Amino acid sequence: MQTTKLIRKPRLSRSASQEMILLFAKAGNQNKLERFSTDADVKRSFERNGIVFQKLVEQCRDPQTRVPLFENLLGSTLQVHGASMARVDLSTGEEITKVDGPGLFTPEGYWALYETAHEALERGVAGLSYREILSAFVHGVSAIEAFLGTQVHEWNRTHPAQTLVDSKTAKVSFDDKVEKWIPIISGGKKLDKSGRRWQAFGRIRAIRDGVAVHPKEPGHGVQYSELVILGNLFSSGVSGLLIDLHLLFSKTIPGLIIRDTYAPEIELVEDPGTPT
């Protein structure tokens, strides 16, 4: 019996592998002492550790191969046993997030939301599931909104005379936050809205709003080929846009977000099955 499946291509392109490695080194969230300003600096660092850069690029075309030295495999949430854990503002000593164990500690909520989106996308690919892809879109957009909300929170905490307010009585749209608030927080920098990442995000947000959260039709029909298109939107419109935002605010990037941005494309295959 012939079956239809969604799969990821087995390998990254050479250019994608190289870009991914360089980004891990320059902006990944691993603990390191080195800071790199150029690609050449990164390559020299690998060479000092006995790693031939071009050979590594070829090896990392396999998505199962980890980037040595610079890929942090930790997730967003830690288990706390018999102790307290807190995220502290080093300048003021203020505890921003705290848990008294046993329990779970997630200092960056947007990161946990992103992990939920990633897991839903992978289930959508494995199970040929439109519902799971929609779930990935819902949580992916929430992760982006939460990341920007974190930057606003940090700004307001350190600029009490210039607070940015979004409330029931003074509602500010996400688009206005991007256009007006980001330049304030970032010191004049703006998010690039001319490329494919912002365009992909726009389509994802429209689907999130009009299909997943506030459906306008009693049901839906979707071709398998459309699932491929939607699944591949995620790497640009969620993961890629989050990378742009991290770089704009000079924040280090969780490894999973980098991985997903450069993940091999999803494709549709027909499995002929076992002859009867």
Side-chain angles (χ1 to χ4, degrees):
M1 179 180 177
Q2 181 169 299
T3 58
T4 302
K5 296 192 296 184
L6 294 180
I7 64 169
R8 290 194 181 274
K9 293 180 179 179
R11 289 168 68 80
L12 285 69
S13 70
R14 188 172 183 81
S15 61
S17 177
Q18 177 164 307
E19 288 178 18
M20 178 186 71
I21 294 167
L22 292 171
L23 188 60
F24 267 117
K26 291 179 179 179
N29 70 340
Q30 75 287 357
N31 291 321
K32 60 182 173 66
L33 299 177
E34 288 185 282
R35 296 295 176 186
F36 306 108
S37 58
T38 68
D39 295 352
D41 291 339
V42 175
K43 294 173 184 178
R44 282 191 288 269
S45 178
F46 279 118
E47 289 169 2
R48 286 195 298 271
N49 286 277
I51 299 169
V52 178
F53 184 76
Q54 292 304 326
K55 184 177 180 181
L56 178 63
V57 169
E58 188 61 33
Q59 291 170 341
C60 286
R61 292 184 65 190
D62 177 353
Q64 301 304 315
T65 300
R66 299 303 177 185
V67 177
L69 305 178
F70 301 118
E71 183 168 4
N72 188 345
L73 302 180
L74 293 177
S76 67
T77 301
L78 301 173
Q79 290 188 347
V80 181
H81 298 283
S84 296
M85 185 170 287
R87 179 182 175 184
V88 178
D89 184 334
L90 296 179
S91 62
T92 65
E94 175 191 0
E95 290 184 343
I96 301 169
T97 305
K98 181 181 178 181
V99 65
D100 294 316
L104 300 173
F105 181 66
T106 305
E108 299 282 3
Y110 84 90
W111 184 1
L113 284 168
Y114 180 83
E115 288 175 336
T116 302
H118 163 86
E119 291 161 4
L121 179 67
E122 293 306 299
R123 290 194 299 269
V125 172
L128 205 67
S129 172
Y130 184 45
R131 182 175 58 201
E132 291 289 5
I133 291 175
L134 291 180
S135 179
F137 285 4
V138 170
H139 289 98
V141 172
S142 293
I144 291 168
E145 293 174 340
F147 177 81
L148 183 53
T150 298
Q151 311 319 307
V152 173
H153 175 79
E154 290 183 4
W155 169 269
N156 287 343
R157 191 163 44 81
T158 55
H159 297 79
Q162 299 172 275
T163 56
L164 302 172
V165 178
D166 177 15
S167 65
K168 289 182 179 180
T169 56
K171 193 65 181 172
V172 181
S173 70
F174 180 79
D175 287 322
D176 279 345
K177 292 175 184 177
V178 169
E179 284 292 321
K180 300 175 183 178
W181 286 10
I182 283 180
I184 295 172
I185 300 170
S186 67
K189 292 185 285 186
K190 293 185 177 182
L191 180 66
D192 180 10
K193 297 172 66 176
S194 64
R196 64 185 178 89
R197 288 178 173 176
W198 180 259
Q199 293 171 2
F201 170 72
R203 184 171 180 190
I204 286 171
R205 184 171 54 165
I207 294 170
R208 188 278 306 256
D209 293 344
V211 180
V213 178
H214 302 292
K216 296 176 175 59
E217 303 291 340
H220 55 256
V222 59
Q223 293 180 313
Y224 289 147
S225 58
E226 181 69 8
L227 294 184
V228 174
I229 295 170
L230 296 178
N232 284 323
L233 278 177
F234 188 91
S235 63
S236 294
V238 176
S239 315
L241 188 63
L242 274 170
I243 282 181
D244 287 348
L245 287 166
H246 279 76
L247 295 176
L248 189 149
F249 289 109
S250 299
K251 301 294 184 181
T252 58
I253 309 169
L256 183 62
I257 296 176
I258 297 176
R259 274 282 163 191
D260 284 354
T261 300
Y262 294 98
E265 285 189 343
I266 298 165
E267 60 183 354
L268 190 67
V269 296
E270 299 289 343
D271 185 348
T274 304
T276 57

